[in-house]
Amino acid sequence: MKGINKSKRLFRKAQGLIPGGVNSPVRAFKAVGGQPLFISHAKGSKIYDVDGNAYIDYVLSWGPMILGHAHPSVVKALKAAIEKGTSYGAPTELEVKLAEMVLKAYPSMDKVRMVNSGTEATMSAIRVARGFTKRDRIIKFEGCYHGHADGLLVKAGSGATTFGVPDSPGVPRSYARNTITLPFNDLKAVKAVVEKDWKNIACIILEPVVGNIGCVLPKRGFLEGLRKITKKYGIVLIFDEVMTGFRVSYGGAQAYYGVEPDMTCLGKVIGGGLPVGAYGGKAEIMSMVSPEGPVYQAGTLSGNPLAMTAGITTLKILSRKGTYERLEQKGLALEEGLKDAAKRAGVKTRFYRAGTMFCTYFTDREVYDYQTAKQADTERFARFFAGMLKRGVNIAPSQFEAGFISLAHTDKDIEKTVRAAYDVMKSL
Ligand SMILES: *Cc1c(COP(=O)(O)O)cnc(C)c1O
């Protein structure tokens, strides 16, 4: 380590100019203490800070960089695209191409609309689901993050049927009232609410694998159960695959678990590192969207040619034969290595993984929802995080974020990571 003086200087300056010094809260390292690194560049599996330190990166811009950073094919395609202009506000062949690729990979979708972020995707999908069903309430799950739209920043009240209260000042109570929040993996709670209130419920939205409280896997039968009950009561089932899409498999969590939703939200990987989101679904639902239907949704930069180019190039590489087998091998190698390191170091952890999305929880108890995730020892995680960073491994600066592996991560990277993890765990 060469120290982080330049990062420190920049952070002090940034705090005077940008709220908290960052443009997205979790970047500020608040959950682990310490101070964020300012990045100068990234390549393959590594990122480099402004002080010249290199780190093996398991954050990967919070998911998008599944090919690794600055992949040569993506860089080349973007360079060629940029020469042709950066935005037209008119349709392009690129949008048709990416839509075609997405629909082919997700047979549950007949049509798809491009937007600029995951937040826009979920916000718009819910609007469409409400327009389609002519119902106002939505069900979400505790710990599932669907971006920062008002009605989605809501936690549960105490009882299962309690109306939501906002998580954030600035979200009107009247918005939150229409959001019912239930524990993930609790099909009974869903049934109880739906059987009583189905006439008012437009949609159930969830992360099929919850990546925003670490990595929480759906219990056997949970997704299938949601599919069954939503079908029975005419409720739109929305899979928010902004993180899991093209990540846990090419066809996302819906292919991985074999459950088809009515609508799907995408983002992160489909933008190949540029700002993109998308939402789509069955034809009769998507025909509600303006200008085909009455539900309004628009975007000045939606379908941006650079973003489409990065997305198309990324998906092309991902769709090559054997790609997800290679990713799975890397995921498995890291899983086995980290579990073994914890065992040898005598540290109680729980490790969960879906493909190349994973989390090590510092707890010896099973994690299957928000409450059980919250039992993890965050103070211990903070020390683990600091130790890993010191040894040149960048993991997310919070116990409640997923880690990601890219195609660029080598066996050597993984070995080095496991060695570092053992050293740090031994010292905990
Ligand atoms: C990241 C994420 C979002 C929000 O996407 P942004 O592009 O940050 O707006 C929504 N849902 C899930 C599941 C996510 O992981």
Side-chain angles (χ1 to χ4, degrees):
M1 284 283 289
K2 294 173 183 162
I4 53 165
N5 287 333
K6 209 164 167 193
S7 276
K8 281 184 178 162
R9 254 196 333 270
L10 280 170
F11 191 44
R12 261 199 309 275
K13 187 165 181 192
Q15 282 173 304
L17 302 169
I18 304 168
V22 291
N23 280 313
S24 196
V26 72
R27 296 179 196 171
F29 280 32
K30 258 193 154 168
V32 288
Q35 92 116 54
L37 301 171
F38 280 62
I39 303 305
S40 74
H41 65 287
K43 178 79 190 158
S45 62
K46 309 259 174 28
I47 58 163
Y48 301 85
D49 69 17
V50 287
D51 290 287
N53 300 297
Y55 307 87
I56 302 170
D57 186 21
Y58 293 96
V59 180
L60 297 175
S61 188
W62 305 92
M65 314 312 302
I66 194 168
L67 303 181
H69 294 284
H71 188 282
S73 304
V74 178
V75 172
K76 192 174 158 208
L78 280 174
K79 278 183 176 163
I82 215 164
E83 295 286 345
K84 298 181 187 170
T86 51
S87 183
Y88 321 120
T92 64
E93 191 173 355
L94 295 166
E95 296 165 86
V96 179
K97 174 97 190 146
L98 186 57
E100 216 170 17
M101 293 175 89
V102 169
L103 296 182
K104 195 171 165 211
Y106 293 76
S108 68
M109 284 194 256
D110 299 316
K111 280 185 181 172
V112 62
R113 168 64 64 82
M114 295 295 161
V115 291
N116 304 292
S117 67
T119 295
E120 269 187 68
T122 56
M123 182 185 85
S124 309
I126 287 169
R127 184 183 302 145
V128 174
R130 282 174 164 153
F132 178 73
T133 56
K134 302 190 172 64
R135 302 171 183 171
D136 285 343
R137 285 183 197 149
I138 68 170
I139 293 178
K140 75 177 281 289
F141 295 94
E142 221 181 338
C144 281
Y145 178 66
H146 304 294
H148 59 87
D150 280 345
L152 289 165
L153 287 178
V154 180
K155 238 183 227 161
S158 49
T161 54
T162 316
F163 292 114
V165 291
D167 265 352
S168 164
V171 175
R173 264 172 195 283
S174 54
Y175 282 41
R177 275 182 63 86
N178 281 319
T179 305
I180 300 164
T181 309
L182 300 174
F184 192 76
N185 271 324
D186 190 344
L187 203 53
K188 264 203 197 131
V190 176
K191 276 187 185 152
V193 170
V194 168
E195 277 163 13
K196 222 173 111 198
D197 200 27
W198 62 271
K199 278 190 184 133
N200 296 310
I201 298 169
C203 65
I204 295 181
I205 184 166
L206 72 152
E207 295 180 73
V209 177
V210 193
N212 286 286
I213 43 170
C215 182
V216 175
L217 307 176
K219 283 185 181 166
R220 189 178 308 223
F222 180 60
L223 300 177
E224 292 83 349
L226 293 178
R227 177 63 287 183
K228 212 166 136 194
I229 196 164
T230 47
K231 194 167 243 168
K232 181 171 171 191
Y233 290 101
I235 295 166
V236 177
L237 180 62
I238 306 175
F239 278 7
D240 177 356
E241 298 227 42
V242 170
M243 188 182 288
T244 54
F246 296 100
R247 166 59 68 183
V248 301
S249 82
Y250 193 72
Q254 50 197 274
Y256 196 78
Y257 291 105
V259 177
E260 279 209 347
D262 302 305
M263 296 187 81
T264 301
C265 301
L266 294 166
K268 299 197 168 111
V269 171
I270 57 157
L274 272 82
V276 181
Y279 68 98
K282 300 215 163 88
E284 77 255 33
I285 299 174
M286 288 306 285
S287 67
M288 296 296 291
V289 180
S290 183
E292 201 172 320
V295 176
Y296 195 70
Q297 186 273 308
T300 301
L301 293 172
S302 293
N304 174 268
L306 295 186
M308 296 298 101
T309 299
I312 291 165
T313 313
T314 299
L315 297 196
K316 262 190 197 157
I317 293 167
L318 289 176
S319 66
R320 286 182 195 153
K321 230 181 134 206
T323 302
Y324 285 82
E325 285 78 359
R326 273 167 62 212
L327 285 168
E328 172 60 26
Q329 276 167 12
K330 293 174 198 293
L332 189 62
L334 188 69
E335 170 170 358
E336 286 175 344
L338 289 180
K339 278 182 178 169
D340 182 60
K343 205 168 150 194
R344 280 186 292 131
V347 174
K348 295 260 187 292
T349 60
R350 287 277 180 154
F351 185 95
Y352 296 92
R353 177 175 73 87
T356 45
M357 179 177 156
F358 66 91
C359 183
T360 298
Y361 292 99
F362 285 86
T363 176
D364 54 358
R365 294 169 68 178
E366 193 195 347
V367 175
Y368 53 86
D369 63 7
Y370 180 75
Q371 295 303 334
T372 50
K374 282 286 172 192
Q375 288 168 6
D377 187 339
T378 51
E379 196 266 326
R380 201 163 225 208
F381 173 83
R383 280 185 284 141
F384 178 69
F385 169 82
M388 292 300 275
L389 203 61
K390 218 182 209 165
R391 285 165 180 78
V393 181
N394 184 48
I395 59 174
S398 160
Q399 169 73 94
F400 306 111
E401 300 286 350
F404 302 100
I405 307 165
S406 78
L407 272 175
H409 284 74
T410 61
D411 292 349
K412 233 172 118 187
D413 288 331
I414 290 171
E415 279 162 28
K416 192 179 162 199
T417 303
V418 169
R419 259 202 316 278
Y422 172 69
D423 285 349
V424 179
M425 282 180 182
K426 225 174 33 178
S427 71
L428 288 179

